[in-house]
Amino acid sequence: MRTKKENVLARSPLLRGAFCATLLAFVACGGDNSSNTNSTEMGCASNQAKPTENYTSSTLMSQILESLKGEPKVDPLGLFKEDTRTVQQKIEKYGIEVASQTKSSMIFRLSGAEYSFKVQGTEDTLKVSLSSGSIACGLSFPMSFVDQCPQESTDTPASLKNSQAEFEDCIKKIAPASKEDSGNKQPGYDGEFN
């Protein structure tokens, strides 16, 4: 004796065909009915690179090392791009002594000065700091921006652009190159009155 469900399926070849087609489609897709834009925890689509969290091996770290040798130009979004090879090349090229290094901090010596690089996150902000002696340079990223896959972004927030300009200016003050040039006979205004 047939059940009610079997009677309905037996009487309706069209319904049975639709059921089989749906079942086959579900099995062929692996049972996954989600879209193709799976997200990572950072909010990036699966076809985009996940931001690096190894900040001391990032493009920004490489740019900071270069800035300390006289080229103060950084791209804040470089913090999210891995560039271990270039960072290592700069360390060797400039004779940098690394005292300690983790994924988010590095203490190093360059031309007799000691520097501390750190990346710390709070609920609202991701902060990058580079300090030497009593001077600390800071770069702040709004967490709302960091969560949106920043290495793929074309719109850098105005607050980050302002922070970038201040960071670059501050690096000039702590760079060994600027200290070496202080013996130059040409007087210049450095933004502060002594």
Side-chain angles (χ1 to χ4, degrees):
M1 189 164 162
R2 290 184 181 176
T3 65
K4 215 177 203 186
K5 187 177 179 182
E6 290 171 333
N7 282 335
V8 170
L9 288 175
R11 281 186 264 147
S12 176
L14 186 59
L15 186 58
R16 187 175 48 214
F19 175 78
C20 290
T22 303
L23 180 62
L24 283 173
F26 185 77
V27 171
C29 293
D32 183 8
N33 61 356
S34 63
S35 67
N36 285 340
T37 55
N38 293 331
S39 294
T40 66
E41 61 220 42
M42 292 294 287
C44 306
S46 59
N47 61 343
Q48 293 173 328
K50 184 175 186 247
T52 185
E53 291 179 0
N54 190 358
Y55 303 122
T56 57
S57 293
S58 67
T59 299
L60 179 63
M61 185 74 227
S62 169
Q63 292 168 343
I64 287 171
L65 297 177
E66 200 164 282
S67 293
L68 289 170
K69 290 302 284 182
E71 294 295 326
K73 184 71 178 150
V74 298
D75 173 13
L77 301 185
L79 181 66
F80 306 101
K81 297 173 185 169
E82 192 276 329
D83 200 358
T84 305
R85 186 170 172 242
T86 306
V87 171
Q88 197 56 44
Q89 287 174 343
K90 302 275 188 222
I91 287 171
E92 292 170 12
K93 178 180 178 181
Y94 301 137
I96 295 169
E97 299 170 36
V98 178
S100 67
Q101 182 175 3
T102 66
K103 289 183 175 189
S104 60
S105 68
M106 186 161 91
I107 296 173
F108 60 96
R109 291 184 67 77
L110 171 65
S111 301
E114 186 169 285
Y115 296 90
S116 175
F117 170 84
K118 290 181 185 169
V119 179
Q120 297 174 315
T122 65
E123 192 174 307
D124 301 323
T125 312
L126 184 69
K127 293 184 178 181
V128 173
S129 69
L130 177 69
S131 59
S132 180
S134 61
I135 300 174
C137 306
L139 185 61
S140 297
F141 297 83
M143 221 28 132
S144 56
F145 176 71
V146 173
D147 289 339
Q148 298 303 313
C149 205
Q151 85 277 23
E152 299 295 332
S153 180
T154 55
D155 296 327
T156 305
S159 62
L160 182 54
K161 288 180 182 176
N162 292 339
S163 184
Q164 173 186 357
E166 291 171 10
F167 190 65
E168 289 173 351
D169 287 343
C170 184
I171 289 175
K172 290 177 191 175
K173 293 176 186 173
I174 63 173
S178 67
K179 293 172 186 167
E180 291 166 7
D181 292 342
S182 62
N184 202 344
K185 293 180 183 178
Q186 304 247 343
Y189 175 64
D190 63 358
E192 295 181 10
F193 294 103
N194 295 326

